Amino acid sequence: MSLWVVLAVNSITFGGLLFLLSAGFSLIFGLMKIPNLTHGSFFMLGAYVATSLIARGFNFWVAALVGGLFVAAFGGIIERLILRRLAGAELAQVLVTLGLSFMIADVCLMVWTGDPIRIDTPSGLRGATSLFGMGFPTYRLAISLVAVIFAVALWALLDRTRLGAMIRAGVDDPAMARVVGIRVSRLFTIVFCLGAWLAGFAGVMGGPILSVYPGLDQEMLPLALVVVILGGSGSLLAYVVLFLPMLIVLVVRPQGLFGRPAL
């Protein structure tokens, strides 16, 4: 019993981390129809920037926020100078963003070398927390809580604020939105920057668990794609669709669908 509970909590934790990554991809792809294949690189770049800030004495959370802001600014430049010129050209967007991901990976390799870098767990979240008579890593539980907070905040932003209404109007009917005075191009830049910030922030949050190393971007991007495809583009709770079956399997058959129980 205790084994599958621990595995379930760890799966939910990783699902929360994937939510932070895939939510940004879902916003960009679901609202702007841009298949942004640099999203995994944003995840890795944010983590690398945070490692440099932490090495210079910055607090973990400050490094996470600043690393995300750096990636958001970089994403805004890409959207303004490159992707905006390719509006409606999906194949060109795929090729350009894929090429940019290779370039970012090479720059990261030159600046931070090829050695894995571990981000230390924040001091206040080290150790274990007792739940249901069992100990769970406090930091992993914190990631799940952060994911829930961000999910609620994003839902409120898109469905309960004037900015969210303007974004939805710009997606549904850009021409009419421009007629009533909404600057659709600026809104789309804001959305792209928000998605990039979420990816960069997620990279920092995942650092204490995954470390940061070359190739991390190519490992995380397919997972984000799976989450968005299964849950549907634009869905902020898409990761539930991916990890709910996993949770059920862990409860019913801890050894896996085709595995054999240990003798």
Side-chain angles (χ1 to χ4, degrees), residues 21 23-25 27-28 39 42 190-200:
L21 174 63
F25 187 93
L27 283 173
I28 294 172
H39 209 69
F42 290 163
I190 293 174
V191 170
F192 198 94
C193 290
L194 176 60
W197 184 88
L198 284 170

Side-chain angles (χ1 to χ4, degrees), residues 168-206:
R168 296 197 307 275
V171 172
D172 294 338
D173 194 337
M176 184 59 69
R178 291 187 178 93
V179 168
V180 298
I182 298 175
R183 302 188 63 175
V184 176
S185 61
R186 176 179 293 181
L187 286 177
F188 281 179
T189 300
I190 293 174
V191 170
F192 198 94
C193 290
L194 176 60
W197 184 88
L198 284 170
F201 181 79
V204 184
M205 293 294 294

Side-chain angles (χ1 to χ4, degrees), residues 11 23 33 36-37 43 51 61 80 83 87-89 94 106 122 139 149 152-153 156 170 172 183 212 241 252:
S11 298
K33 309 304 180 186
N36 179 32
L37 297 187
F43 180 92
T51 61
W61 297 108
R80 280 277 183 175
L83 295 179
V94 168
D106 286 343
Y139 184 71
I149 293 173
V152 174
D172 294 338
R183 302 188 63 175
V212 192
V241 179
V252 178

Side-chain angles (χ1 to χ4, degrees), residues 4-24:
W4 69 258
V5 171
V6 172
L7 291 175
V9 170
N10 287 339
S11 298
I12 293 173
T13 298
F14 190 62
L17 183 61
L18 281 183
F19 166 76
L20 294 174
L21 174 63
S22 59

